[in-house]
Amino acid sequence: MTSTQTSRPSAFFPHRHLLGIEALNPSEISRLLDLANRYADLPKDDEQARRLLRGRTVMNLFFEDSTRTRTSFEVAALRLGADVINMSVGTSSIKKGETLLDTAMTLNAMKPDVLVVRHGDSGAVNLLSQKVDGSVINAGDGRHEHPTQALLDALTIRRRLGHLDGLLVAICGDVLHSRVARSNILLLTKMGARVRVIAPTTLLPGSIDRFGVEVFTDMRKGLKDVDIVMMLRLQLERMQGAYVPSVREYFHFFGLDYEKLSLAKPNALIMHPGPMNRGVEIDSEVADDINRSVIREQVEMGVAVRMACLDALTRPLTGYNGSGQNEPADLQNGGRS
Amino acid sequence: MTLQRPPKRQLRPLALVNARLVDPVSKRDEIGGLLVDDGIIRDLGPQIGRAHVPEEAEIIDCGGHVLAPGLVDMRVQLREPGEEHQETIETGSLAAAAGGVTSMVCLPNTDPIIDDVAGVEFIARRARETKRAKIYCYGALTKGLEGKDIVEMGLLHQSGALGFTDALTAVADAQVMRRALSYARTFDLLVVQHPEEPRLAAGGAMNNGELASRLGLSGIPTCAEVMMIERDLHLVRMSGARYHVAHVSTAAAVEKIRQAKQEGLRVTCDTAPPYFSLNEAEVGDYRTFAKLSPPLRGEADRRAIAAAVAEGVIDSIASDHAPLDVESKRVPFAQAVPGVIGLETLLPVSLELYHKGQMPLIDLVRCLTSRPADILGLPQGRLAKGAPADMVLFDIDRPHRIDVAKFRSKSKNSPYDARPVQGKVLKTFVDGRIVFAADTHA
């Protein structure tokens, strides 16, 4: 097998795009996490890593505002030596449907190797991926998926606790509108963790019990004996009566404070995809608890995971043939295991 | 220096003997006695006679009359705060005690509206001060009863709200109702609906039909009720919420609720005495005391409601007490405010179903006591060891004419004045205290 101009699946990662956790099997997820784990331990100016994507173009195409995720992808691409182009397309200035595809065709003509795309509509990234020659990474589409967030969460957990299988994870808050929740539920259940979702019924998607999770509307019951507490962001406009009557009531029943946290396992970790609404879904003190909160670690792992995803998707271009021989030495030996 | 609290005044134990004990939960209907101490029923049964009561007890001979649980009224308006010229919690409690009602739940359509914790706490405080009846409230389902944004149901429930309703209006927006039911499901709270499609009912003054046409009044069709119920049942099916339909008035609605119950949905309903004792003909010559919401229906619907109470499809009978001043009623029919008082007629008018042989006494008592208590999650409404000693003693057969002039209620808008009825409240007990005793010479 030799590489061509267009990317195609490698044996290491047999997908052209990373559109969601849905399409991945447990061994593919493990491989991505192993690779990300090695990147996490590399110095940020590692020379060999910097050669991996030299001459390749990574385009960040964000139809929805984002600072954290876009920056994280940008840093990851730069550390791998890629040329990075940021395209911020305000949703107000763009019309839906045809225009999305027009944009895709235009960008495709510039031959990016990887397109990192965020869009406010579920399925939009998938649609775009069908029209371009390079690889597409979903950086969040509507309420559908946010695969790199789930991967970075998993990596954070693995580095803290050593494994995912058998863990009891509570995902709390606005599950209905959360792509982070969906990707995490998929990833964690595929990897053998038990997942609970905790939310007022208005913030739970229909038939959520069919996702292989346990459903709780009482946070005190739901947090009992969990290893991980994942909090979700609740957007302000959703807590003024339509889904939740008030911030006060939400925090009282669903905000993570020490009292509710005391029901989880003694050393249960606290996670949040950010940005946090302090005093809404999480008590400020809990969020800053250096012994329990791994929220800053999540951000750090975000870069490593995105480096791994960029690497995995471009391997046909970098000549990787599946035997492991072409893998940079540092990456072969630098990881924990 | 220590301040000595005065010792809590202990009531003497109370022994009610020679009573016809009627309890719908244990299905007891037998002559016997009942012992009360510290506000709680300690023992009851045929074995308790005059010879078997504690020495210090106060003994009341019930003369063989019916001793039943105090009535639990799921739906009243007490007009406090805001419209105290029509009724107050005090006068409403006097009316309740006289009517044998020992627990009642008021609607949130006061001024200010009960849609926050402060409102619920106000009612709770006034209820503590008023010892004649146990008073609870529903919270508004949406803020300001506007049908848009859901209230802090969790916090209001923790403060004592027994359920949530927009009182006299239905939540018109299906999406809002869907979310309200869904949110209520979070805490497993009861949602109470006034079942009426608001656009169909808008401007209507009485039941749609021949009589309305002859009187030249615009009508409210019966389907306005069943349409709203059908819509809600779809949403209940989706949310799994507990849903209660207030004052059912049509045969079609009864059928829908029957089916929903058979399907296993968590649906309950009540009606009020006017809907099984009166029909639209009552409007007669534009009598505004016969203007209700929902309106009095045709005779076929009236019969269907009576039958549904007897059958148990309708769970409970509530007074739907709606005190209104003269100015609200002494106006052209179309302008009159709908509603009638009911606390002091709830028992005798309901007893008509028993006296006419439509249902056994014990089933009727269930509709007025344990069934509504169960729906509301209250421990009263039954004669049982350990239950609160809330009871009503009544002469089931005594014939008399309803005399509205003698009512304790501040407003007198009753459609039943001078109606001959059977059944008279003799005594009412709340937590073992006598809160009403009939004038024995009356």
Side-chain angles (χ1 to χ4, degrees):
Chain A
M1 296 280 163
T2 53
S3 65
T4 63
Q5 285 293 306
T6 55
S7 59
R8 61 171 57 149
S10 71
F12 177 80
F13 189 73
H15 302 275
R16 186 153 76 102
H17 308 296
L18 177 63
L19 298 175
I21 299 296
E22 176 93 67
L24 305 184
N25 64 36
S27 72
E28 289 158 8
I29 293 167
S30 288
R31 247 175 283 155
L32 281 177
L33 292 176
D34 290 343
L35 185 58
N37 191 43
R38 282 175 242 160
Y39 278 121
D41 290 331
L42 276 189
K44 67 177 185 180
D45 56 350
D46 184 84
E47 276 307 317
Q48 243 181 321
R50 270 189 193 278
R51 283 197 291 271
L52 272 180
L53 293 192
R54 183 169 295 163
R56 305 290 162 216
T57 305
V58 174
M59 226 177 237
N60 282 329
L61 180 59
F62 279 62
F63 293 89
E64 240 185 21
D65 288 342
S66 160
T67 310
R68 308 158 65 96
T69 306
R70 203 211 63 216
T71 311
S72 180
F73 270 107
E74 190 173 351
V75 170
L78 290 172
R79 285 191 190 165
L80 293 174
D83 300 322
V84 184
I85 295 157
N86 286 317
M87 300 266 306
S88 278
V89 193
T91 35
S92 56
S93 67
I94 196 145
K95 297 203 178 66
K96 306 272 159 64
E98 262 190 342
T99 319
L100 170 68
L101 293 184
D102 285 347
T103 309
M105 299 311 291
T106 308
L107 295 175
N108 193 48
M110 301 176 198
K111 303 208 186 312
D113 297 286
V114 182
L115 265 169
V116 178
V117 186
R118 168 169 292 188
H119 197 284
D121 289 332
S122 306
V125 179
N126 197 319
L127 178 66
L128 191 143
S129 75
Q130 294 161 18
K131 304 290 174 190
V132 297
D133 299 318
S135 289
V136 171
I137 297 178
N138 181 2
D141 66 321
R143 307 176 180 185
H144 178 223
E145 281 235 43
H146 191 357
T148 56
Q149 178 71 42
L151 287 164
L152 75 87
D153 287 341
L155 181 62
T156 309
I157 297 169
R158 238 180 57 166
R159 284 171 69 94
R160 279 284 184 135
L161 302 179
H163 61 102
L164 295 169
D165 57 298
L167 292 178
L168 191 53
V169 183
I171 300 177
C172 316
D174 188 358
V175 181
L176 176 65
H177 300 99
S178 176
R179 51 196 174 217
V180 175
R182 281 171 180 72
S183 288
N184 264 315
I185 290 169
L186 289 169
L187 188 148
L188 290 165
T189 51
K190 278 174 198 266
M191 300 309 283
R194 286 164 55 206
V195 178
R196 292 176 175 178
V197 293
I198 306 171
T201 322
T202 36
L203 295 178
L204 288 170
S207 306
I208 183 69
D209 53 312
R210 302 294 297 272
F211 283 51
V213 298
E214 283 180 273
V215 182
F216 290 82
T217 53
D218 182 336
M219 192 162 181
R220 286 176 174 81
K221 287 181 188 154
L223 286 184
K224 185 107 180 54
D225 297 327
V226 300
D227 299 284
I228 312 277
V229 185
M230 280 187 180
M231 299 305 299
L232 299 172
R233 175 180 169 76
L234 180 61
Q235 292 191 356
L236 273 161
E237 64 269 22
R238 294 189 178 128
M239 47 187 142
Q240 286 155 4
Y243 294 90
V244 169
S246 69
V247 172
R248 174 173 59 173
E249 171 140 329
Y250 189 77
F251 186 74
H252 184 85
F253 291 102
F254 295 98
L256 186 66
D257 53 19
Y258 278 116
E259 192 248 314
K260 297 191 196 85
L261 183 61
S262 68
L263 295 157
K265 285 217 178 119
N267 293 311
L269 301 179
I270 301 159
M271 310 182 75
H272 194 297
M276 281 183 283
N277 286 313
R278 291 168 185 267
V280 176
E281 70 259 358
I282 191 162
D283 182 274
S284 223
E285 254 188 283
V286 174
D288 295 334
D289 186 332
I290 51 168
N291 296 313
R292 311 292 291 276
S293 169
V294 295
I295 294 169
R296 287 225 302 264
E297 242 165 283
Q298 287 173 272
V299 179
E300 192 187 332
M301 289 310 114
V303 176
V305 155
R306 282 150 189 148
M307 288 170 78
C309 293
L310 289 168
D311 178 7
L313 288 173
T314 53
R315 283 205 176 189
L317 297 176
T318 53
Y320 179 71
N321 62 13
S323 69
Q325 289 165 1
N326 292 27
E327 204 161 341
D330 277 1
L331 296 185
Q332 280 180 329
N333 308 318
R336 291 183 178 196
S337 61
Chain B
M1 199 174 84
T2 55
L3 284 170
Q4 289 270 310
R5 279 170 188 270
K8 196 181 162 195
R9 197 152 54 101
Q10 289 291 326
L11 280 168
R12 284 169 67 193
L14 186 65
L16 303 172
V17 298
N18 189 27
R20 180 180 168 192
L21 302 170
V22 174
D23 175 55
V25 176
S26 59
K27 298 192 166 43
R28 183 197 297 271
D29 185 350
E30 61 191 358
I31 295 293
L34 181 146
L35 296 178
V36 177
D37 192 14
D38 208 18
I40 302 291
I41 298 171
R42 299 298 176 188
D43 200 4
L44 74 162
Q47 75 283 4
I48 295 171
R50 202 171 267 278
H52 306 88
V53 302
E55 259 180 45
E56 69 277 19
E58 178 189 349
I59 297 173
I60 294 174
D61 190 315
C62 297
H65 291 306
V66 173
L67 184 68
L71 310 191
V72 177
D73 189 342
M74 298 185 76
R75 189 176 175 91
V76 301
Q77 298 173 64
L78 297 184
R79 303 287 184 233
E80 184 178 341
E83 289 171 304
E84 288 86 349
H85 65 291
Q86 296 186 326
E87 192 81 286
T88 64
I89 285 176
E90 183 64 28
T91 58
S93 301
L94 283 167
V101 173
T102 54
S103 298
M104 52 185 167
V105 191
C106 44
L107 296 181
N109 59 330
T110 47
D111 181 13
I113 289 160
I114 302 171
D115 62 358
D116 60 8
V117 169
V120 176
E121 284 177 349
F122 172 81
I123 299 295
R125 180 168 60 75
R126 294 289 288 118
R128 282 194 300 275
E129 291 165 3
T130 307
K131 308 238 180 271
R132 283 190 189 80
K134 293 178 178 169
I135 298 162
Y136 307 88
C137 71
Y138 297 117
L141 187 60
T142 64
K143 292 170 190 169
L145 304 174
E146 286 175 353
K148 290 180 197 151
D149 297 323
I150 52 181
V151 303
E152 294 168 323
M153 290 186 212
L155 295 173
L156 265 64
H157 176 66
Q158 284 190 343
S159 306
L162 291 185
F164 295 88
T165 179
D166 272 2
L168 311 185
T169 48
V171 175
D173 186 320
Q175 183 68 281
V176 172
M177 189 61 179
R178 174 196 178 182
R179 291 199 184 127
L181 285 165
S182 173
Y183 193 73
R185 179 77 182 87
T186 306
F187 309 102
D188 208 24
L189 303 176
L190 183 69
V191 172
V192 179
Q193 176 77 298
H194 167 75
E196 192 169 69
E197 210 309 300
R199 295 303 305 155
L200 271 184
M206 68 172 293
N207 189 42
N208 196 48
E210 181 190 339
L211 192 55
S213 298
R214 289 187 186 282
L215 290 170
L217 294 169
S218 50
I220 300 171
T222 53
C223 67
E225 179 166 293
V226 75
M227 280 170 76
M228 183 54 75
I229 294 171
E230 278 196 276
R231 182 202 77 174
D232 284 351
L233 289 174
H234 288 291
L235 303 176
V236 168
R237 192 176 290 118
M238 192 159 64
S239 64
R242 289 170 59 208
Y243 173 71
H244 181 86
V245 190
H247 45 216
V248 172
S249 70
T250 63
V254 167
E255 272 325 295
K256 276 295 150 200
I257 292 164
R258 183 203 312 278
Q259 287 166 19
K261 287 183 168 190
Q262 279 164 359
E263 188 190 328
L265 299 183
R266 302 166 80 202
V267 172
T268 52
C269 68
D270 69 67
T271 191
Y275 301 111
F276 57 75
S277 63
L278 305 173
N279 65 27
E280 62 185 348
E282 222 36 53
V283 172
D285 194 17
Y286 303 99
R287 284 185 66 216
T288 56
F289 281 10
K291 183 173 181 181
L292 281 74
S293 172
L296 294 172
R297 304 293 187 182
E299 177 60 11
D301 281 316
R302 185 200 67 78
R303 285 167 184 267
I305 296 300
V309 172
E311 195 196 338
V313 176
I314 292 178
D315 298 87
S316 133
I317 304 171
S319 73
D320 213 358
H321 185 72
L324 293 166
D325 53 22
V326 175
E327 290 67 37
S328 304
K329 288 292 193 184
R330 199 184 287 154
V331 290
F333 194 89
Q335 293 172 32
V337 180
V340 297
I341 53 170
L343 279 167
E344 290 166 85
T345 47
L346 176 59
L347 183 63
V349 177
S350 295
L351 279 171
E352 290 177 358
L353 293 173
Y354 159 74
H355 287 301
K356 287 179 187 162
Q358 289 195 274
M359 67 191 295
L361 178 64
I362 199 143
D363 290 349
L364 181 65
V365 170
R366 178 185 299 112
C367 289
L368 292 161
T369 60
S370 64
R371 191 68 191 113
D374 289 344
I375 294 167
L376 297 164
L378 296 172
Q380 54 262 38
R382 65 214 68 212
L383 301 180
K385 280 187 204 180
D390 299 351
M391 299 165 296
V392 57
L393 180 70
F394 61 94
D395 180 339
I396 192 166
D397 292 320
R398 171 119 44 115
H400 63 107
R401 274 182 189 277
I402 287 172
D403 183 358
V404 173
K406 288 191 178 151
F407 278 4
R408 278 79 177 165
S409 187
K410 221 169 184 178
S411 297
K412 310 294 181 196
N413 52 311
S414 170
Y416 293 116
D417 196 25
R419 186 183 180 93
V421 290
Q422 269 180 285
K424 193 164 178 57
V425 175
L426 301 175
K427 284 188 171 63
T428 307
F429 304 84
V430 170
D431 289 331
R433 287 173 293 108
I434 297 175
V435 295
F436 172 80
D439 181 352
T440 45
H441 304 293

